[in-house]
Amino acid sequence: MRYKIIISTILLLSLTFNSFTVCAENNRYTVADDITYESDSKVLTPGEAGGLQVGNSQTSMRVFGEEKFAYPKGHGFAAERGNNLYDRMHGINAKVIGDNNTPNGADRIIVKGTEHTLIQTKYCKTATRTINACFDKNGIFRYVDKNNKPMKIEVPADQYDQAINIMKDKIRNNQVPGVTDPEKATEIVKKGNLTYKQAVNLAKPMTVESLKYDAASGAVTALSAFGISAVLTYAANRHYGVEKKEAIQSAAVSGIKTGGVVFVTSIVASQLSKSGLNHALMPASYAIVDALGPKGIQVLASTAPGATGSARTVAAGVVRNNLIVGGVTFVVLSVPEVVELFRGRISGAQLAKNVATIGGGVAGGVAGGLGGAAIGSAIAPGPGTVVGGVIGGVAGGVGVGLGTDALINHFSESDGDQMVEIIQEEFTTLGNEYLLTEEEANMVVDQLSPMLDGNRVKDMFASEDRHEYARSMIEPLMIDVANKRDKIYLPTEDEMAEELAVVLKDVAFVH
């Protein structure tokens, strides 16, 4: 049983707990709130909140770094990240390091043991332009490491052969310091994993290359979210006494659900950013951070360790990308509720309640995650940022979600509560029909309550006759209990006569 079920059940029992009583005098049953249902709560669990925070934080930072895709030469930045992702997906320890904008610095680095290979990614329209871009205005090769050795020049896959020949000519002309053998061109020029056209398409929204890249990136992010969600869910279940096997199953379900949401969110958020939403939010994001003042800007920027640019630029990026990612997460989590409305399984009021609870949880998770990350960064930048973000995301996501849910419940009755009222009415009627004792009634309640999960309650709401639906659930249980009663044998004529004589004697005595 998942943690949210435990929380929901505890809340439900604490608010509605009452006893089932039997009035023997008139044989009527007072059914209060012993019949409980497994609330289909939309409050984020700690596992879900933690997983979403980690996944959405990574997505936000990735989308922030990909803002350059929209630049006039954005396909070059797309080529860097596309090639890097391809390497990483194939087990190569590769990293993009060009965001620091160091003059003549490397764009990427590949680490293999103690060997570090610096890579400059060049993706121009023709092989000639690609190679010429590696030489300064004096025609001298400009990409060298600290030992003055040439860096690897990563070129479009479809330009590789021609680029090798052009580099050989450059070496023959003594334009590559320290290199005299033209055959060394094969050691300098590296064949990229993408063609020029693929890199161009990768920077655009809704292309095959762009979707593949976002899907691959989203899968990596979703894996992190899955792990965090599963660990937190398992720990919470074990803490509350859930058996190990059931806790593992619950952790797997939570991890899959959270990972799936993060996967979809990552793809959609990235596609929206490439479509121009990120740039459209720039004025608003700068207005927000400017209102925070210098200290607020520094705190917000600290939540994105490794991001390049001024504190104001980084802080604005954090704001707009969290707005995008948080908004997409809210939509992704809300879509199933809208579907349930159209299927007739929930009411419009219930939809509004669920969506409000989801919105509160997502907003609380984003705010809590940023606050926790800022505190963690002040203590231990990097690791502290991640840990603080998770703790803050869990506290904010669960806390605000519970608060929102409780506030709404105070003013409105849920579909589930309405269905339980009908079930209680039918239980009372059937209980009298079957002459249940208090003990028998409790036996039926014990069997009925576990049946009332979120799906069963929604099915009942969608049914044509809700009272009949309730009876169809309850009556078989009562029949089963009644069939287990001890058989009653009628007294013999002699026994009846003997006791009748006693009664008549007592009556005569009284009179």
Side-chain angles (χ1 to χ4, degrees), residues 269-308:
S270 184
Q271 290 293 311
L272 287 174
S273 180
K274 292 171 185 174
S275 299
L277 180 58
N278 205 309
H279 287 268
L281 290 174
M282 278 190 175
S285 65
Y286 278 108
I288 292 173
V289 298
D290 287 342
L292 298 176
K295 288 187 178 179
I297 290 174
Q298 288 292 337
V299 170
L300 199 55
S302 70
T303 64
T308 59

Side-chain angles (χ1 to χ4, degrees), residues 129-371:
R129 290 182 181 180
T130 295
I131 296 301
N132 284 342
C134 301
F135 293 79
D136 61 23
K137 61 182 180 179
N138 297 316
I140 303 301
F141 188 78
R142 60 194 180 98
Y143 293 110
V144 295
D145 61 20
K146 61 183 180 180
N147 297 317
N148 291 321
K149 291 184 177 180
M151 296 182 190
K152 294 280 188 181
I153 305 300
E154 188 170 52
V155 302
D158 53 329
Q159 296 179 10
Y160 178 71
D161 292 336
Q162 190 176 356
I164 288 288
N165 292 329
I166 296 172
M167 184 61 76
K168 287 180 178 180
D169 291 338
K170 297 289 187 181
I171 294 173
R172 292 189 186 97
N173 294 332
N174 296 317
Q175 291 177 265
V176 183
V179 181
T180 57
D181 183 3
E183 296 304 318
K184 293 291 184 179
T186 57
E187 298 178 10
I188 299 174
V189 179
K190 179 183 184 298
K191 186 176 183 179
N193 302 304
L194 305 174
T195 65
Y196 175 78
K197 185 177 182 180
Q198 286 174 328
V200 171
N201 287 339
L202 196 155
K204 298 177 180 179
M206 300 309 294
T207 64
V208 173
E209 291 81 4
S210 177
L211 291 169
K212 282 184 177 180
Y213 169 80
D214 289 340
S217 299
V220 175
T221 304
L223 186 61
S224 297
F226 174 94
I228 292 295
S229 179
V231 167
L232 290 177
T233 301
Y234 177 79
N237 274 281
R238 293 294 284 163
H239 173 72
Y240 278 88
V242 178
E243 293 297 324
K244 184 176 182 179
K245 183 178 180 180
E246 188 176 352
I248 293 174
Q249 292 175 347
S250 180
V253 170
S254 179
I256 291 172
K257 176 184 175 182
T258 306
V261 172
V262 168
F263 177 72
V264 175
T265 298
S266 180
I267 295 175
V268 175
S270 184
Q271 290 293 311
L272 287 174
S273 180
K274 292 171 185 174
S275 299
L277 180 58
N278 205 309
H279 287 268
L281 290 174
M282 278 190 175
S285 65
Y286 278 108
I288 292 173
V289 298
D290 287 342
L292 298 176
K295 288 187 178 179
I297 290 174
Q298 288 292 337
V299 170
L300 199 55
S302 70
T303 64
T308 59
S310 66
R312 180 172 178 266
T313 298
V314 174
V318 169
V319 168
R320 62 177 170 270
N321 287 292
N322 272 282
L323 285 174
I324 293 174
V325 175
V328 174
T329 300
F330 167 71
V331 172
V332 172
L333 289 173
S334 299
V335 165
E337 303 309 307
V338 177
V339 173
E340 293 287 64
L341 174 69
F342 282 107
R343 293 178 62 189
R345 301 184 77 213
I346 63 174
S347 65
Q350 186 68 47
L351 172 66
K353 176 181 180 296
N354 292 351
V355 168
T357 301
I358 291 170
V362 172
V366 171
L370 289 174

Side-chain angles (χ1 to χ4, degrees), residues 441-475:
N442 284 330
M443 291 171 60
V444 175
V445 169
D446 289 342
Q447 296 179 63
L448 179 62
S449 291
M451 295 170 56
L452 302 179
D453 57 15
N455 283 326
R456 182 64 66 91
V457 171
K458 288 178 181 178
D459 288 341
M460 179 178 171
F461 182 90
S463 64
E464 294 182 1
D465 189 333
R466 294 167 185 167
H467 284 269
E468 181 59 34
Y469 189 100
R471 290 181 70 92
S472 69
M473 284 193 298
I474 300 169
E475 192 163 18

Side-chain angles (χ1 to χ4, degrees), residues 23 31 192 338 424:
C23 301
V31 181
V338 177
Q424 291 169 348

Side-chain angles (χ1 to χ4, degrees), residues 374-435:
I375 295 173
S377 293
I379 299 173
T385 307
V386 176
V387 175
V390 173
I391 295 174
V394 171
V398 177
V400 176
L402 281 172
T404 304
D405 193 57
L407 181 64
I408 296 173
N409 282 335
H410 180 72
F411 293 102
S412 64
E413 188 177 37
S414 70
D415 292 350
D417 293 331
Q418 295 175 31
M419 297 306 100
V420 168
E421 288 177 5
I422 293 174
I423 292 172
Q424 291 169 348
E425 291 176 12
E426 294 302 324
F427 192 102
T428 301
T429 301
L430 287 168
N432 287 316
E433 291 178 6
Y434 282 87
L435 301 175

